[in-house]
Amino acid sequence: MVRGRISGLSVRDVRFPTSLGGHGSDAMHTDPDYSAAYVVLETDAGDGLKGYGITFTLGKGTEVVVCAVNALAHHVLHKDLKDIVGDFRAFYRQLTSDGQLRWIGPEKGVVHLATAAVLNAVWDLWAKQEGKPLWKLLVDMKYCRKVKLVKKKEKSKCWCRATPPTPRRAPGSATQTTR
């Protein structure tokens, strides 16, 4: 069961000098330094668990993503983790709909990358508090819950009443397909 309020959010700029040896380069990216904005979330739950999230960049833009994560921190700090995971979609929308940051790309660009790092940390913390690896948290989750995590509210009501896709045989085939 998820518990605690988010009491700490830190972010680091982690870089690997891959450009020195030309590692990871291609026709478009001739000097990439593989990098990541590395987010750590902590709660006041007293269990010592932390959530870790990263978002990948190619170097110099990482400091911009770190600044964006810090700009989003007020949407995360002091929030109850149970409320966040209870309406994950609303939390996502809150992060990407900040009126001061929307103009620099809520659906792409720096805000999108910063949001990804924060959400990855939330997923990690949620799974740890449930005592499961993230893949197991998702596998054990009911279909309706998964849909509500990603679909808009008005559509999720309709989808949750529907049954999950059922396997069926493709015409003239011995294998099953999912519809």
Side-chain angles (χ1 to χ4, degrees):
M1 170 161 261
V2 291
R3 61 208 166 276
R5 294 172 90 68
I6 306 295
S7 60
L9 182 153
S10 60
V11 58
R12 293 185 58 202
D13 180 340
V14 180
R15 299 186 192 203
F16 303 91
T18 53
S19 63
L20 297 177
H23 305 294
S25 63
D26 59 30
M28 293 295 293
H29 307 96
T30 57
D31 62 347
D33 280 329
Y34 282 13
S35 310
Y38 188 77
V39 172
V40 180
L41 292 180
E42 299 177 65
T43 69
D44 62 4
D47 54 16
L49 296 174
K50 296 179 182 179
Y52 299 91
I54 65 168
T55 193
F56 180 77
T57 66
L58 291 177
K60 294 178 185 171
T62 309
E63 65 266 20
V64 179
V65 177
V66 167
C67 287
V69 168
N70 285 323
L72 293 173
H74 72 279
H75 292 294
V76 182
L77 290 171
H78 313 294
K79 301 286 191 246
D80 192 315
L81 186 60
K82 187 175 182 179
D83 293 340
I84 291 172
V85 302
D87 195 349
F88 210 82
R89 175 75 181 165
F91 180 65
Y92 165 81
R93 294 305 304 160
Q94 183 180 15
L95 292 176
T96 60
S97 298
D98 184 303
Q100 299 288 316
L101 299 174
R102 282 190 66 95
W103 66 277
I104 56 174
E107 300 297 333
K108 61 187 178 300
V110 69
V111 173
H112 188 78
L113 290 168
T115 298
V118 170
L119 293 179
N120 287 340
V122 169
W123 278 108
D124 185 54
L125 183 57
W126 182 6
K128 286 177 179 173
Q129 284 196 353
E130 293 288 344
K132 301 176 181 182
L134 181 54
W135 69 266
K136 182 74 169 143
L137 177 72
L138 290 168
V139 167
D140 291 347
M141 200 176 287
K142 292 184 187 268
Y143 176 75
C144 179
R145 178 76 170 112
K146 289 179 206 173
V147 171
K148 284 184 177 181
L149 287 172
V150 296
K151 291 290 180 186
K152 292 182 181 177
K153 198 170 213 161
E154 59 274 7
K155 288 188 179 183
S156 67
K157 289 179 185 174
C158 176
W159 278 59
C160 287
R161 289 189 190 111
T163 56
T166 54
R168 65 180 182 100
R169 297 207 184 275
S173 170
T175 60
Q176 288 187 339
T177 60
T178 302
R179 189 157 110 166

